[in-house]
Amino acid sequence: MSQDHPTNGHEHAHGDDHGHDHSELGEMDLRVRALESVLTQKGYIDPAALDALIDTYQTRIGPRNGARVVARAWVDPAFREWLLADATAAIASLGYTGRQGEHMVAVENTDELHHMVVCTLCSCYPWPVLGLPPTWYKSAPYRSRVVKDPRGVLADFGVTLPDSTRIRVWDSTAEVRYLVIPQRPPGTGDLGEDELAALVSRDSMIGTRLVEAPAEQGSPA
C-alpha cells in the first residue's frame, strides 16, 4: 500500500517494503561482473557487442512498448480508463508482460498534478514497458534528491512547471511499479497512434520530461 507524504510543497508516495537487498552492489552483481571479465579475457564475448545489445533494449525495444501504451491511452478513452483502473491487465492486453511488470500502476499527468517515479532504496523499474533503467535512475543523487527537491530535479532535465502544479513522487517497490502517462501535447489531434508513440520518450514515462509536439516541417523552397 502506498502512502502520501507531503514534503516541501510536493507529495511523496512511498512503498512500505521493497522486499530485497538494497546494497549499492549486491553479491550477484559482483559475480556477474567477475564472470563478464573472465569471458571477455577468454574471447567468448565482445563487450562492444554486449553494450550494443543492452543499449538496444534500454533505448529502443523497452521504451517503445511503453510509448505504445501511452499512445493507445491518448486515442482510446476506454483503454485509458482501463489502464488507470488496472494497468497490469491493460498493458498485458497489448502483449507487454514479464518479470518486473507483474503489478503495474499507471498515473496520469494533468495541468494540476505531475507525477514522477523513483526507487529510493534500489532501482525497481518496469522492464516490460521501459526496458532497462537508465544510469541516472539508479544513482544515489537522483534517488535522494527527487524526493526532497522534485522541481529542482525537473529543472535539471529542462522542465519547468507552473507553481500551481502539484508534484507527486511515487516510490517503486519490488511489488509495485509505476508508469507515468504524460500529457498529450497540443496540436497533435491529427496524428495517428504510431505517430503519437514516436513522440513519447522513456523519460516522459518516468516523469522527468514532457512530451512535445513535432516540429513543423518547413515549407518547400
Side-chain angles (χ1 to χ4, degrees):
M1 181 70 69
S2 295
Q3 301 175 350
D4 290 344
H5 302 285
T7 305
N8 295 333
H10 73 279
E11 299 176 16
H12 173 213
H14 182 80
D16 293 334
D17 182 13
H18 282 232
H20 51 71
D21 180 69
H22 306 305
S23 60
E24 288 294 323
L25 194 60
E27 180 180 354
M28 182 59 68
D29 291 323
L30 291 172
R31 290 181 178 180
V32 170
R33 290 192 177 189
L35 178 60
E36 181 180 349
S37 296
V38 171
L39 293 176
T40 299
Q41 291 172 4
K42 291 182 176 295
Y44 293 140
I45 64 173
D46 179 357
L50 188 60
D51 288 344
L53 179 63
I54 293 174
D55 180 70
T56 296
Y57 191 79
Q58 177 174 313
T59 62
R60 301 178 187 178
I61 298 174
R64 188 177 298 174
N65 293 347
R68 290 191 174 278
V69 173
V70 170
R72 177 66 59 86
W74 283 347
V75 302
D76 186 339
F79 180 80
R80 170 184 167 276
E81 293 300 323
W82 185 17
L83 181 65
L84 293 175
D86 187 352
T88 305
I91 292 170
S93 74
L94 299 182
Y96 309 137
T97 61
R99 187 179 180 186
Q100 310 294 328
E102 298 90 346
H103 188 183
M104 294 291 303
V105 172
V107 291
E108 183 180 35
N109 283 347
T110 66
D111 289 338
E112 294 76 27
L113 181 60
H114 182 90
H115 300 279
M116 299 175 70
V117 180
V118 67
C119 180
T120 55
L121 298 181
C122 48
S123 57
C124 294
Y125 192 76
W127 295 357
V129 287
L130 294 187
L132 301 177
T135 301
W136 59 260
Y137 182 86
K138 299 181 289 184
S139 69
Y142 174 78
R143 285 157 39 199
S144 61
R145 187 174 169 226
V146 71
V147 174
K148 301 175 182 177
D149 183 22
R151 289 187 184 275
V153 172
L154 285 175
D156 289 344
F157 281 91
V159 176
T160 302
L161 298 175
D163 292 339
S164 59
T165 301
R166 291 186 297 122
I167 300 175
R168 177 173 292 176
V169 178
W170 295 93
D171 194 354
S172 292
T173 72
E175 291 76 32
V176 181
R177 289 169 174 79
Y178 298 93
L179 177 69
V180 174
I181 308 303
Q183 288 183 278
R184 180 173 176 170
T188 59
D190 59 339
L191 298 184
E193 189 172 328
D194 289 343
E195 295 171 301
L196 289 170
L199 301 179
V200 182
S201 69
R202 175 200 62 198
D203 292 2
S204 71
M205 293 181 283
I206 299 175
T208 54
R209 288 193 185 277
L210 306 180
V211 178
E212 299 180 353
E216 295 184 5
Q217 298 292 331
S219 55

